[in-house]
């Protein structure tokens, strides 16, 4: 699975990416955050929840988990859905954005 992405927006805690994985196109929010669903509304605007498509949230606890989490989420997504990756630390964050096609992104 090869992802291609571009940075759509930089957030205080991470980055928003426009991602293409094979036939799937989606927007991904990748942030350094505790794995708390309540935090999602802190960086994903209400308009994303109101738009067509689903919002999928997953926690990335370690850098080693990044590939599996990206693959699992992508498998369950449809075009236009939103993915949210709550990365426990900087290493998990870097690994996740690399799996999504970015070499490095500031947060």
């Amino acid at each position: 699975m090869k992802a291609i992405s571009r940075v759509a927006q930089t957030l205080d805690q991470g980055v928003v990416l426009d991602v293409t994985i094979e036939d799937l196109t989606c927007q991904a929010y990748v942030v350094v955050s505790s794995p708390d669903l309540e935090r999602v509304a802190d960086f994903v605007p209400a308009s994303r929840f109101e738009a067509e498509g689903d919002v999928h949230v997953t926690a990335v606890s370690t850098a080693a988990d990044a590939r599996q989490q990206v693959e699992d989420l992508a498998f369950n997504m449809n075009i236009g859905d939103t993915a949210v990756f709550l990365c426990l630390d900087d290493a998990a964050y870097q690994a996740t954005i690399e799996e999504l096609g970015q070499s490095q992104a500031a947060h």
Side-chain angles (χ1 to χ4, degrees), residues 5-107:
S5 64
R6 73 170 188 81
V7 176
Q9 182 182 355
T10 302
L11 306 170
D12 289 342
Q13 323 79 325
V15 67
V16 181
L17 302 173
D18 289 327
V19 181
T20 302
I21 302 172
E22 296 171 4
D23 294 336
L24 174 69
T25 56
C26 66
Q27 194 160 60
Y29 289 74
V30 186
V31 296
V32 176
S33 170
S34 60
D36 179 357
L37 284 177
E38 300 293 320
R39 295 282 327 269
V40 173
D42 293 345
F43 39 82
V44 178
S47 60
R48 292 304 297 182
F49 293 100
E50 296 160 1
E52 282 193 41
D54 294 327
V55 176
H56 304 263
V57 181
T58 190
V60 183
S61 300
T62 68
D65 293 340
R67 172 169 287 161
Q68 191 64 51
Q69 292 299 334
V70 169
E71 288 178 358
D72 288 352
L73 216 61
F75 181 77
N76 292 305
M77 292 180 66
N78 295 306
I79 292 172
D81 283 0
T82 301
V84 179
F85 296 91
L86 303 175
C87 303
L88 193 58
D89 58 24
D90 287 336
Y93 171 83
Q94 284 298 334
T96 301
I97 62 171
E98 286 171 16
E99 287 298 324
L100 292 169
Q102 291 293 307
S103 56
Q104 275 198 333
H107 74 272

